[in-house]
Amino acid sequence: MTSYATSTARAEMSEIRRLKNILPPELQSWVTVEKTIEVNPTLIRSEEIGKDQVEIQIDLIRWEQLATDQRNLLFWHEVARIQNDTIPRDGWEMAALAIGLGGAVGELWVQDGLLLVLALSLCGVSGWRLYQKNNGEKSLKEAVDADEKALALATRFGYTLPNAYKSLGSALKTLIEQTSKKQQRAKYEARLQALKRNAAKAKAKVKPITRETSQSENVYNS
């Protein structure tokens, strides 16, 4: 009799293989998909694991609670982030800021003007990079751009554009309902509102020809 752990492991491996199969062919040689081993992980995220190598890490326990279409669009959102080169880089900024501040304090004590300027410059560069990484408006734009590209990827894999909008919108609604952290929930809500606006624009460009076509467009409003 197959144990629960064995069946779960098989299901997880099956899902990993499925996701690898819906990676765009041009990414398959340098992007991998793995189950996350972090404690309290995010649902899905990407990480550089070497030169020209990126790994998409997924919390499969929460992932399995989503419908397949929802998973697909969230997965393609992450793929789009990789294609747009907007995945987070190594967090050297905090270390550099600490070194710069420590150096500045030390140079104030020994009164070495040149080293003080260098330490303050290091603080300035690392502080600016931290500001850019945590800029809410910039982060939202990157996420919305990735959502739009995810929709285009979905059409490459056989989705109609209305169904792609519907699946991504449904996924974001589910994440909003499941997220307890106010800040993260607000990010999902902002993405959903941007998605609705873009869907309305896309719908306006569609001229209904038949009753069937008109009905299919209603998914833009879901």
Side-chain angles (χ1 to χ4, degrees), residues 86-126:
T86 57
I87 63 173
R89 296 294 187 267
D90 292 336
W92 59 268
E93 293 90 350
M94 283 300 295
L97 182 61
I99 293 171
L101 288 172
V105 172
E107 300 315 322
L108 282 173
W109 181 260
V110 300
Q111 297 184 344
D112 189 319
L114 178 59
L115 292 178
L116 176 60
V117 170
L118 291 174
L120 290 175
S121 298
L122 181 60
C123 289
V125 171
S126 55

Short mmCIF file of all heavy atoms in Angstrom, two decimals, residues 86-126:
data_model
loop_
_atom_site.label_atom_id
_atom_site.label_comp_id
_atom_site.label_asym_id
_atom_site.label_seq_id
_atom_site.Cartn_x
_atom_site.Cartn_y
_atom_site.Cartn_z
N THR A 86 13.85 41.53 -13.47
CA THR A 86 13.45 42.29 -12.29
C THR A 86 13.38 41.42 -11.04
O THR A 86 12.75 41.79 -10.05
CB THR A 86 12.07 42.95 -12.50
OG1 THR A 86 11.09 41.95 -12.83
CG2 THR A 86 12.13 43.99 -13.60
N ILE A 87 14.02 40.25 -11.05
CA ILE A 87 14.05 39.43 -9.84
C ILE A 87 15.06 40.04 -8.88
O ILE A 87 16.05 40.65 -9.31
CB ILE A 87 14.40 37.95 -10.14
CG1 ILE A 87 15.81 37.83 -10.74
CG2 ILE A 87 13.37 37.34 -11.06
CD1 ILE A 87 16.27 36.40 -10.89
N PRO A 88 14.85 39.90 -7.55
CA PRO A 88 15.76 40.50 -6.57
C PRO A 88 17.17 39.94 -6.70
O PRO A 88 17.37 38.75 -6.95
CB PRO A 88 15.14 40.10 -5.22
CG PRO A 88 13.72 39.80 -5.53
CD PRO A 88 13.70 39.23 -6.91
N ARG A 89 18.14 40.80 -6.56
CA ARG A 89 19.54 40.39 -6.58
C ARG A 89 20.03 40.15 -5.16
O ARG A 89 19.33 40.40 -4.19
CB ARG A 89 20.40 41.48 -7.24
CG ARG A 89 20.06 41.71 -8.71
CD ARG A 89 20.40 40.46 -9.53
NE ARG A 89 20.24 40.69 -10.94
CZ ARG A 89 19.16 40.43 -11.64
NH1 ARG A 89 18.09 39.95 -11.03
NH2 ARG A 89 19.10 40.64 -12.94
N ASP A 90 21.26 39.66 -5.04
CA ASP A 90 21.85 39.43 -3.72
C ASP A 90 21.80 40.71 -2.90
O ASP A 90 22.10 41.81 -3.39
CB ASP A 90 23.31 38.99 -3.85
CG ASP A 90 23.42 37.60 -4.47
OD1 ASP A 90 22.44 36.84 -4.37
OD2 ASP A 90 24.47 37.29 -5.06
N GLY A 91 21.42 40.57 -1.64
CA GLY A 91 21.25 41.74 -0.79
C GLY A 91 22.55 42.27 -0.21
O GLY A 91 22.73 42.24 1.01
N TRP A 92 23.44 42.77 -1.07
CA TRP A 92 24.70 43.32 -0.59
C TRP A 92 24.54 44.72 -0.01
O TRP A 92 25.40 45.20 0.73
CB TRP A 92 25.71 43.40 -1.75
CG TRP A 92 25.26 44.23 -2.92
CD1 TRP A 92 24.61 43.81 -4.03
CD2 TRP A 92 25.41 45.65 -3.07
NE1 TRP A 92 24.34 44.86 -4.87
CE2 TRP A 92 24.83 46.00 -4.31
CE3 TRP A 92 25.98 46.65 -2.28
CZ2 TRP A 92 24.79 47.31 -4.77
CZ3 TRP A 92 25.95 47.96 -2.74
CH2 TRP A 92 25.37 48.28 -3.97
N GLU A 93 23.40 45.37 -0.30
CA GLU A 93 23.25 46.76 0.08
C GLU A 93 23.29 46.97 1.60
O GLU A 93 23.91 47.91 2.08
CB GLU A 93 21.95 47.33 -0.48
CG GLU A 93 21.92 47.42 -2.00
CD GLU A 93 21.38 46.17 -2.66
OE1 GLU A 93 21.20 45.17 -1.94
OE2 GLU A 93 21.14 46.20 -3.88
N MET A 94 22.61 46.09 2.35
CA MET A 94 22.58 46.26 3.81
C MET A 94 23.98 46.10 4.40
O MET A 94 24.38 46.85 5.29
CB MET A 94 21.61 45.25 4.43
CG MET A 94 20.15 45.61 4.28
SD MET A 94 19.71 47.19 5.04
CE MET A 94 20.00 46.83 6.77
N ALA A 95 24.72 45.12 3.90
CA ALA A 95 26.09 44.92 4.39
C ALA A 95 26.95 46.12 4.05
O ALA A 95 27.75 46.60 4.88
CB ALA A 95 26.68 43.64 3.78
N ALA A 96 26.82 46.63 2.83
CA ALA A 96 27.61 47.79 2.43
C ALA A 96 27.26 49.02 3.25
O ALA A 96 28.13 49.81 3.64
CB ALA A 96 27.38 48.07 0.94
N LEU A 97 25.96 49.19 3.55
CA LEU A 97 25.53 50.32 4.36
C LEU A 97 26.12 50.23 5.76
O LEU A 97 26.61 51.23 6.32
CB LEU A 97 24.01 50.36 4.43
CG LEU A 97 23.39 51.53 5.21
CD1 LEU A 97 23.79 52.87 4.58
CD2 LEU A 97 21.87 51.41 5.23
N ALA A 98 26.12 49.03 6.33
CA ALA A 98 26.69 48.85 7.67
C ALA A 98 28.18 49.13 7.68
O ALA A 98 28.71 49.79 8.60
CB ALA A 98 26.42 47.42 8.15
N ILE A 99 28.88 48.65 6.65
CA ILE A 99 30.32 48.90 6.57
C ILE A 99 30.59 50.39 6.41
O ILE A 99 31.49 50.95 7.04
CB ILE A 99 30.92 48.11 5.38
CG1 ILE A 99 30.85 46.61 5.66
CG2 ILE A 99 32.36 48.54 5.12
CD1 ILE A 99 31.22 45.75 4.46
N GLY A 100 29.81 51.03 5.54
CA GLY A 100 29.99 52.46 5.32
C GLY A 100 29.75 53.28 6.58
O GLY A 100 30.53 54.19 6.90
N LEU A 101 28.68 52.96 7.31
CA LEU A 101 28.39 53.69 8.54
C LEU A 101 29.47 53.46 9.59
O LEU A 101 29.91 54.40 10.27
CB LEU A 101 27.02 53.25 9.09
CG LEU A 101 25.80 53.73 8.31
CD1 LEU A 101 24.53 53.08 8.84
CD2 LEU A 101 25.68 55.26 8.36
N GLY A 102 29.89 52.19 9.70
CA GLY A 102 30.97 51.89 10.65
C GLY A 102 32.25 52.61 10.29
O GLY A 102 32.94 53.16 11.16
N GLY A 103 32.55 52.64 8.99
CA GLY A 103 33.76 53.34 8.55
C GLY A 103 33.68 54.83 8.80
O GLY A 103 34.65 55.46 9.19
N ALA A 104 32.48 55.40 8.58
CA ALA A 104 32.31 56.84 8.78
C ALA A 104 32.53 57.22 10.24
O ALA A 104 33.20 58.21 10.55
CB ALA A 104 30.92 57.27 8.32
N VAL A 105 31.96 56.42 11.13
CA VAL A 105 32.15 56.69 12.56
C VAL A 105 33.62 56.57 12.94
O VAL A 105 34.18 57.40 13.68
CB VAL A 105 31.30 55.71 13.40
CG1 VAL A 105 31.64 55.85 14.89
CG2 VAL A 105 29.82 55.98 13.17
N GLY A 106 34.29 55.54 12.41
CA GLY A 106 35.70 55.35 12.71
C GLY A 106 36.56 56.49 12.20
O GLY A 106 37.48 56.96 12.89
N GLU A 107 36.26 56.97 10.99
CA GLU A 107 37.07 58.05 10.42
C GLU A 107 36.81 59.38 11.10
O GLU A 107 37.69 60.25 11.14
CB GLU A 107 36.81 58.16 8.90
CG GLU A 107 37.15 56.90 8.11
CD GLU A 107 38.47 56.29 8.50
OE1 GLU A 107 39.42 57.05 8.78
OE2 GLU A 107 38.57 55.05 8.56
N LEU A 108 35.61 59.57 11.64
CA LEU A 108 35.37 60.76 12.44
C LEU A 108 36.28 60.78 13.67
O LEU A 108 36.76 61.83 14.11
CB LEU A 108 33.89 60.81 12.87
CG LEU A 108 32.88 61.27 11.82
CD1 LEU A 108 31.46 61.11 12.35
CD2 LEU A 108 33.14 62.73 11.43
N TRP A 109 36.53 59.58 14.18
CA TRP A 109 37.37 59.47 15.37
C TRP A 109 38.83 59.76 15.04
O TRP A 109 39.53 60.48 15.76
CB TRP A 109 37.22 58.07 15.97
CG TRP A 109 38.04 57.85 17.22
CD1 TRP A 109 39.23 57.22 17.33
CD2 TRP A 109 37.69 58.29 18.53
NE1 TRP A 109 39.67 57.22 18.62
CE2 TRP A 109 38.74 57.88 19.39
CE3 TRP A 109 36.60 59.00 19.07
CZ2 TRP A 109 38.73 58.15 20.76
CZ3 TRP A 109 36.60 59.26 20.43
CH2 TRP A 109 37.66 58.84 21.25
N VAL A 110 39.32 59.20 13.93
CA VAL A 110 40.75 59.38 13.57
C VAL A 110 40.95 60.60 12.68
O VAL A 110 42.09 60.98 12.39
CB VAL A 110 41.31 58.13 12.86
CG1 VAL A 110 41.20 56.92 13.76
CG2 VAL A 110 40.59 57.88 11.53
N GLN A 111 39.84 61.20 12.20
CA GLN A 111 39.88 62.43 11.42
C GLN A 111 40.67 62.29 10.12
O GLN A 111 41.51 63.12 9.79
CB GLN A 111 40.43 63.58 12.27
CG GLN A 111 39.57 63.90 13.48
CD GLN A 111 40.08 65.10 14.26
OE1 GLN A 111 41.22 65.52 14.09
NE2 GLN A 111 39.25 65.63 15.15
N ASP A 112 40.40 61.23 9.38
CA ASP A 112 40.99 61.03 8.06
C ASP A 112 39.92 61.44 7.03
O ASP A 112 38.97 60.72 6.78
CB ASP A 112 41.40 59.58 7.86
CG ASP A 112 42.21 59.38 6.58
OD1 ASP A 112 41.83 60.00 5.56
OD2 ASP A 112 43.18 58.61 6.59
N GLY A 113 40.11 62.62 6.43
CA GLY A 113 39.09 63.18 5.55
C GLY A 113 38.80 62.34 4.33
O GLY A 113 37.63 62.15 3.95
N LEU A 114 39.83 61.80 3.66
CA LEU A 114 39.64 61.02 2.44
C LEU A 114 38.85 59.75 2.72
O LEU A 114 37.89 59.42 2.00
CB LEU A 114 40.98 60.67 1.81
CG LEU A 114 40.93 59.80 0.55
CD1 LEU A 114 40.13 60.49 -0.53
CD2 LEU A 114 42.34 59.48 0.05
N LEU A 115 39.23 59.03 3.76
CA LEU A 115 38.52 57.79 4.09
C LEU A 115 37.09 58.08 4.54
O LEU A 115 36.19 57.28 4.30
CB LEU A 115 39.28 57.02 5.17
CG LEU A 115 40.64 56.44 4.74
CD1 LEU A 115 41.31 55.74 5.92
CD2 LEU A 115 40.46 55.47 3.58
N LEU A 116 36.89 59.22 5.18
CA LEU A 116 35.54 59.60 5.59
C LEU A 116 34.67 59.81 4.37
O LEU A 116 33.51 59.35 4.32
CB LEU A 116 35.58 60.86 6.44
CG LEU A 116 34.21 61.43 6.87
CD1 LEU A 116 33.45 60.41 7.70
CD2 LEU A 116 34.39 62.73 7.63
N VAL A 117 35.20 60.49 3.35
CA VAL A 117 34.46 60.71 2.11
C VAL A 117 34.12 59.39 1.44
O VAL A 117 33.00 59.18 0.96
CB VAL A 117 35.26 61.62 1.15
CG1 VAL A 117 34.60 61.64 -0.23
CG2 VAL A 117 35.35 63.03 1.71
N LEU A 118 35.09 58.46 1.41
CA LEU A 118 34.86 57.15 0.80
C LEU A 118 33.77 56.38 1.55
O LEU A 118 32.90 55.75 0.94
CB LEU A 118 36.15 56.34 0.76
CG LEU A 118 37.24 56.84 -0.20
CD1 LEU A 118 38.52 56.03 -0.02
CD2 LEU A 118 36.76 56.78 -1.64
N ALA A 119 33.81 56.44 2.88
CA ALA A 119 32.81 55.74 3.70
C ALA A 119 31.42 56.32 3.47
O ALA A 119 30.43 55.60 3.33
CB ALA A 119 33.19 55.81 5.17
N LEU A 120 31.34 57.66 3.41
CA LEU A 120 30.05 58.31 3.18
C LEU A 120 29.53 58.01 1.77
O LEU A 120 28.32 57.87 1.55
CB LEU A 120 30.17 59.81 3.39
CG LEU A 120 30.39 60.27 4.84
CD1 LEU A 120 30.62 61.77 4.90
CD2 LEU A 120 29.22 59.87 5.73
N SER A 121 30.45 57.90 0.80
CA SER A 121 30.04 57.56 -0.56
C SER A 121 29.45 56.16 -0.62
O SER A 121 28.44 55.91 -1.29
CB SER A 121 31.24 57.65 -1.51
OG SER A 121 31.74 58.96 -1.56
N LEU A 122 30.07 55.23 0.12
CA LEU A 122 29.55 53.86 0.19
C LEU A 122 28.16 53.85 0.81
O LEU A 122 27.26 53.15 0.34
CB LEU A 122 30.51 52.98 0.99
CG LEU A 122 30.13 51.49 1.14
CD1 LEU A 122 30.02 50.83 -0.23
CD2 LEU A 122 31.15 50.77 2.00
N CYS A 123 27.97 54.65 1.84
CA CYS A 123 26.64 54.75 2.47
C CYS A 123 25.62 55.30 1.47
O CYS A 123 24.49 54.81 1.40
CB CYS A 123 26.71 55.69 3.68
SG CYS A 123 27.59 55.03 5.11
N GLY A 124 26.04 56.30 0.70
CA GLY A 124 25.12 56.92 -0.24
C GLY A 124 24.69 55.96 -1.33
O GLY A 124 23.49 55.86 -1.65
N VAL A 125 25.64 55.22 -1.90
CA VAL A 125 25.33 54.28 -2.98
C VAL A 125 24.42 53.16 -2.48
O VAL A 125 23.41 52.83 -3.09
CB VAL A 125 26.62 53.70 -3.59
CG1 VAL A 125 26.29 52.56 -4.56
CG2 VAL A 125 27.41 54.78 -4.31
N SER A 126 24.80 52.55 -1.35
CA SER A 126 24.00 51.44 -0.82
C SER A 126 22.63 51.91 -0.36
O SER A 126 21.62 51.22 -0.55
CB SER A 126 24.74 50.76 0.34
OG SER A 126 25.08 51.69 1.36
#
